[in-house]
Amino acid sequence: MAAQRLSGLDASFLYLERPAMHMHVGGVSVLDPSNLPGGKLSFDELARVITSRLHLVPRFRQKVVEVPWNAARPVWVDDAEFDVEFHIRRAALPAPGGRKELAHSVQRVASRPLDRSKPLWEMYLIEGMEDGLVALLTKVHHAMIDGISGIDIATVLFDFSPEPLVPVPQPWVPEEEPSRSQLLQTAVAEQLRNPVALIGETMNTLVRAPVRMAGSIGRSLGGVREILGLGAPPKGPFDGRVGPNRRFAMADSPVERFKAIKNAAGGTVNDVVLAVVAGALSKLMRARHETTRGRTLRAMVPVSVRADDEKMALGNRVSMIFVDLPVGPVDPVNRLHRVTAATKDLKESMMAVGADRIMNLSTYAPPTLHAMAARLVSRGHWFNVVVSNVPGPQVPMYVAGARLLAAYPVMPTAENVGLSIAVTSLAGTMGFGFTGDWDLVPDIDFLAVSLEESVDELAKAAGV
């Protein structure tokens, strides 16, 4: 695969990364291998299945190469020394191999940065779980994928039947890595060409569709005004300087239960997700003896701006909206209605458009300024918690013949916000992953339990 320059947004995730701020995403999938021969998932068989499909995700055999003197954004190039054994690894849990031991294993892996000299992903087969289960932990740099493209990759790596599809391995001949002088020459040529191309494209658009162009600018400016109009968020329990170490916890619930709640009480499944998260946060704050009456916490909610024809395109096409979550003492259905009222106009809002424009303003900026801008934005106090919801296929899924029971996302944290909550709905289960800073969220297990209690309380109040 030929060398390809990172987009402005993808490069931002590299620039944001520091020793205390890892920018990888991932997930842990719990699998039931009982239907396999001997009731076990063989590491060799897993490696064989994954290796046979690497040609479907060619970025997994590419590494990031910096341009000399930081003259342009980095490029993806084939790793001529790619060794799949470095990326697919094996681990085991101590007894009894329950959810707690699995979470501890995940948080140790999440606390380590990826090796920038190699393709930016790792995969672990975790054995020793109770009831004969196993887990598959994936870890990929955010520069490679966002949530939606991660789900697209999952549909390639996973199967929809117990019989794994093992394609005939495709011959792979890596492209020669560009020399430093070639990287620099290409970068200089692009810097000279891009502004001219941008001006030409803009003029062409103005000639062909001036009204549409004006409308797009108006929507962008309106979205920026909406974001700036939010003002500073309230003080939150997870605000603070984030360190390098992470904690992780899991919770889950059937997808059908969330659908039943929204059918009975109104709103969308995502509204229900935000409402039960708000309920769990309220419980945690009260357990910490914090006042909750009349309080809200601002959630940054990533939203996909990926077009239908961009499926299976690696990289990031994600923007964000901001939702104030009611965490005060309130009836669970009333809390849901408040969330629904806060989000009902956001689908038509210009906020996500404005955020997308802000995040891509630096596409043609020199990388040094780009990096400075990305870090400046990341250090700002814009929100109190990240809440991400990525839906996936609701059909039985398998990995090398082992049936998927649940998948729990692993998210990065912001530089000054110590908690990220994500949910992935796959194969009929809503799997919540809680990733927190080690010092700011020592009670992350309590938060996961509180989430499941919050779902129960909302379901009961909604009469389902």
Side-chain angles (χ1 to χ4, degrees):
M1 186 173 177
Q4 183 178 359
R5 195 165 310 284
L6 276 71
S7 72
L9 182 54
D10 294 347
S12 294
F13 290 113
L14 290 177
Y15 300 148
L16 285 171
E17 192 163 52
R18 281 177 295 289
M21 189 174 171
H22 316 305
M23 293 308 299
H24 46 254
V25 299
V28 56
S29 301
V30 177
L31 309 170
D32 179 5
S34 60
N35 60 311
L36 296 176
K40 293 184 178 180
L41 174 58
S42 160
F43 176 79
D44 291 339
E45 176 64 12
L46 172 67
R48 183 176 76 92
V49 170
I50 299 302
T51 303
S52 73
R53 303 178 184 183
L54 284 177
H55 65 283
L56 300 174
V57 279
R59 186 75 79 231
F60 275 36
R61 288 192 283 213
Q62 290 193 306
K63 62 183 180 179
V64 171
V65 174
E66 302 285 343
V67 176
W69 302 307
N70 212 17
R73 296 190 306 276
V75 296
W76 296 106
V77 302
D78 288 346
D79 181 8
E81 299 180 357
F82 175 78
D83 182 357
V84 71
E85 292 185 6
F86 176 84
H87 298 275
I88 303 179
R89 306 175 182 186
R90 194 172 187 176
L93 300 182
R99 178 175 287 189
K100 184 176 181 180
E101 288 75 26
L102 177 59
H104 285 177
S105 180
V106 171
Q107 66 194 26
R108 284 194 294 272
V109 173
S111 298
R112 299 194 298 265
L114 287 158
D115 185 342
R116 290 279 191 97
S117 70
K118 294 179 168 53
L120 298 176
W121 66 279
E122 297 171 357
M123 185 177 295
Y124 297 78
L125 176 65
I126 302 177
E127 301 167 299
M129 291 185 66
E130 59 186 359
D131 301 324
L133 303 178
V134 295
L136 185 66
L137 172 60
T138 58
K139 176 177 164 183
V140 185
H141 202 285
H142 214 331
M144 288 177 65
I145 63 170
D146 58 24
I148 296 297
S149 63
I151 289 293
D152 288 340
I153 292 171
T155 62
V156 171
L157 300 181
F158 287 64
D159 294 293
F160 295 103
S161 70
E163 292 297 324
L165 175 65
V166 183
V168 176
Q170 301 293 310
W172 180 65
V173 179
E175 294 276 348
E176 184 177 354
E177 183 175 332
S179 67
R180 287 176 57 84
S181 62
Q182 288 173 326
L183 288 170
L184 187 59
Q185 290 171 8
T186 302
V188 171
E190 287 183 5
Q191 290 294 326
L192 293 174
R193 184 171 62 247
N194 278 335
V196 175
L198 182 63
I199 293 171
E201 180 182 346
T202 302
M203 293 303 296
N204 189 39
T205 304
L206 283 169
V207 170
R208 288 186 291 105
V211 174
R212 186 172 60 188
M213 181 70 173
S216 176
I217 293 172
R219 287 193 300 272
S220 298
L221 293 176
V224 172
R225 282 195 300 268
E226 284 189 46
I227 294 170
L228 297 178
L230 290 171
K235 187 179 185 304
F238 318 112
D239 300 345
R241 192 72 171 176
V242 172
N245 298 306
R246 301 289 173 263
R247 295 183 190 266
F248 184 74
M250 297 166 283
D252 51 60
S253 183
V255 171
E256 288 304 317
R257 199 172 195 202
F258 278 70
K259 291 182 177 179
I261 291 172
K262 68 100 174 172
N263 289 339
T268 66
V269 169
N270 196 56
D271 292 337
V272 177
V273 167
L274 293 173
V276 298
V277 165
L281 294 173
S282 178
K283 291 176 181 291
L284 180 68
M285 292 170 69
R286 294 199 304 271
R288 291 184 175 190
H289 305 291
E290 291 194 29
T291 301
T292 61
R293 185 170 300 278
R295 289 186 64 180
T296 62
L297 295 179
R298 183 171 300 160
M300 190 273 276
V301 183
V303 294
S304 174
V305 291
R306 186 178 295 273
D308 290 341
D309 61 359
E310 293 178 303
K311 285 185 178 294
M312 288 309 301
L314 293 188
N316 289 271
R317 289 294 290 121
V318 63
S319 186
M320 65 191 76
I321 58 176
F322 298 91
V323 183
D324 288 337
L325 303 179
V327 295
V330 64
D331 175 79
V333 171
N334 190 5
R335 177 181 283 116
L336 172 60
H337 289 167
R338 292 188 188 183
V339 169
T340 301
T343 63
K344 72 175 184 177
D345 296 326
L346 288 177
K347 286 186 178 179
E348 303 299 326
S349 169
M350 295 173 286
M351 184 183 293
V353 176
D356 184 50
R357 297 296 188 270
I358 291 171
M359 294 165 73
N360 286 285
L361 281 175
S362 55
T363 297
Y364 298 112
T368 301
L369 295 180
H370 187 169
M372 290 173 62
R375 290 168 183 164
L376 180 63
V377 170
S378 75
R379 290 168 183 164
H381 188 204
W382 307 99
F383 51 90
N384 307 114
V385 62
V386 178
V387 183
S388 178
N389 177 19
V390 180
Q394 300 307 313
V395 295
M397 299 178 71
Y398 303 83
V399 177
R403 184 167 63 92
L404 173 69
L405 299 182
Y408 308 92
V410 185
M411 291 278 286
T413 63
E415 186 165 357
N416 294 302
V417 178
L419 177 64
S420 292
I421 302 172
V423 56
T424 300
S425 54
L426 282 174
T429 299
M430 304 282 285
F432 287 81
F434 302 81
T435 309
D437 175 75
W438 183 271
D439 297 312
L440 293 174
V441 199
D443 41 7
I444 200 166
D445 292 332
F446 179 88
L447 182 60
V449 172
S450 297
L451 187 286
E452 294 181 342
E453 292 176 350
S454 183
V455 175
D456 291 339
E457 291 168 359
L458 180 54
K460 182 178 179 180
V464 298

